[in-house]
Amino acid sequence: HRSSPRRRRSMSRRYDSRTTIFSPEGRLYQVEYAMEAISHAGTAVGILSSEGVVLAAEKKLTSKLLEPSKSSEKMYMIDEHVACAVAGITADANILVNYARQAAQRYQYTYQEPMPVEQLVQALCDTKQGYTQYGGLRPFGVSVLYAGWDKQHGYQLYCSDPSGNYGGWMATSIGASTQAAQSIMKQDYKAG
């Protein structure tokens, strides 16, 4: 028994409009749409070395009439020891950056020391993951590269996606040209 293409399209729409329902293939389409938004954003690259972390971001101008100095940011300071670069929907990035700044300040106030980098990344990713789980919310359409230093692990580079997954990297990229950037870094990256 084979279903018609028309029936399959109507079935996929059932899973399309809800963030909390898995498709029969085990996919959350809203997360995939968020990833698609990121793939059209300017590229951001992060590279870890023993002496620090480099973040670089391409700032795409959407109009010749837009003043470059007045356009939205791609790089943010979260705290004195953590910075990030974003690709995707800037308004979503602003919400997440403000959340991360508040989390870092609360930790500093409570423990009188900077928040460990991975703990900050995990707190932000827990929030991102929550937006894939509850009805009435959509995933954040932004990926983030986090560069930071703490006394436990030294310099660190992390990358997170709209699903709330994150990982530590030696070199990685997000945004439109991520495949090309990853390919170059795989060839040319030397640890140290």
Side-chain angles (χ1 to χ4, degrees):
H1 171 270
R2 295 175 65 106
S3 60
S4 70
R6 184 175 174 190
R7 181 182 165 105
R8 275 182 269 153
R9 274 194 306 273
S10 72
M11 284 182 65
S12 72
R13 282 191 204 118
R14 277 192 241 163
Y15 307 103
D16 235 4
S17 63
R18 304 253 193 319
T19 58
T20 58
I21 298 177
F22 286 95
S23 73
E25 299 87 30
R27 297 162 54 183
L28 289 172
Y29 287 119
Q30 293 297 320
V31 171
E32 290 183 18
Y33 296 149
M35 298 290 274
E36 184 65 22
I38 293 160
S39 73
H40 297 293
T43 306
V45 175
I47 301 172
L48 176 67
S49 82
S50 59
E51 298 175 22
V53 183
V54 175
L55 291 179
E58 170 191 18
K59 197 175 200 179
K60 282 190 172 182
L61 287 181
T62 54
S63 170
K64 290 180 182 180
L65 302 175
L66 186 64
E67 265 190 77
S69 63
K70 306 273 192 222
S71 64
S72 57
E73 293 295 314
K74 298 265 306 167
M75 307 280 272
Y76 300 86
M77 283 300 294
I78 294 174
D79 200 7
E80 291 178 359
H81 69 299
V82 182
C84 70
V86 300
I89 301 170
T90 306
D92 288 1
N94 290 334
I95 297 294
L96 291 170
V97 166
N98 285 337
Y99 175 85
R101 287 174 175 163
Q102 289 173 351
Q105 289 170 5
R106 278 192 302 272
Y107 189 96
Q108 176 72 40
Y109 180 77
T110 303
Y111 300 104
Q112 301 300 306
E113 65 181 30
M115 188 173 194
V117 178
E118 187 172 6
Q119 188 173 342
L120 179 60
V121 171
Q122 186 173 6
L124 196 59
C125 288
D126 287 348
T127 298
K128 290 171 81 171
Q129 191 279 329
Y131 275 70
T132 69
Q133 186 172 327
Y134 302 110
L137 304 174
R138 67 163 176 79
F140 288 99
V142 65
S143 279
V144 184
L145 294 178
Y146 311 84
W149 182 91
D150 61 41
K151 62 185 179 188
Q152 292 90 354
H153 300 292
Y155 292 109
Q156 298 158 70
L157 173 65
Y158 295 94
C159 179
S160 70
D161 67 27
S163 69
N165 285 326
Y166 75 93
W169 292 83
M170 293 183 289
T172 192
S173 66
I174 54 177
S177 300
T178 194
Q179 299 288 24
Q182 294 277 22
S183 175
I184 291 167
M185 288 187 289
K186 281 180 186 174
Q187 274 182 316
D188 296 342
Y189 181 82
K190 291 171 183 54

